Amino acid sequence: MRGYHIVAAARAQRGKPYRFGTRGPSAFDCSGLTGYAYRSVRISLPRTADGQFRAARHVAKAAARPGDLVFWVGGGHAYHVAVYAGAGKVWHAPKPGQRVRLTAIWSWSQVRFGRIGI
């Protein structure tokens, strides 16, 4: 059930602007959004996408479930993170000039899934 609460917390931020280094509630960067959603179920995450990647227990794509973290990884480091909504979609704070939204996963070759506390 925690995973669905995490997804709901991320979804509730729909339309809020991206702002580098922010953790909400009026704006978010990618790891700020995931941290905010996880805090809603009393799970504390590291501040950055790469910190969250290193703290997560990695899971196979086939085993991913709503509420898991989705990481985009290059050169051994995570450079973006999102909340897995299920069915190949994520809630995320994309980049400057964009807003929190639900998007289909892109760049499947760079994606890794992780789980913390759920």
Side-chain angles (χ1 to χ4, degrees):
M1 286 304 288
R2 279 179 135 180
Y4 291 103
H5 291 287
I6 292 165
V7 172
R11 181 177 54 242
Q13 308 317 307
R14 175 189 303 174
K16 293 186 178 177
Y18 177 97
R19 188 168 305 127
F20 182 77
T22 56
R23 304 187 331 179
S26 60
F28 297 91
D29 68 5
C30 67
S31 58
L33 177 64
T34 55
Y36 186 89
Y38 269 67
R39 278 193 307 280
S40 75
V41 295
R42 297 189 164 100
I43 297 172
S44 179
L45 299 182
R47 175 63 190 105
T48 66
D50 196 56
Q52 293 174 11
F53 177 66
R54 300 201 181 288
R57 179 172 50 94
H58 299 275
V59 296
K61 291 175 187 175
R65 56 188 192 220
D68 282 343
L69 295 169
V70 181
F71 300 98
W72 280 259
V73 179
H77 299 281
Y79 60 87
H80 188 64
V81 62
V83 173
Y84 188 56
K89 295 185 178 181
V90 295
W91 283 103
H92 73 128
K95 60 185 177 181
Q98 295 188 353
R99 297 180 176 273
V100 172
R101 65 182 183 205
L102 181 68
T103 310
I105 293 174
W106 67 97
S107 302
W108 278 92
S109 63
Q110 296 175 350
V111 169
R112 305 291 180 271
F113 289 84
R115 190 169 292 150
I116 298 176
I118 59 172

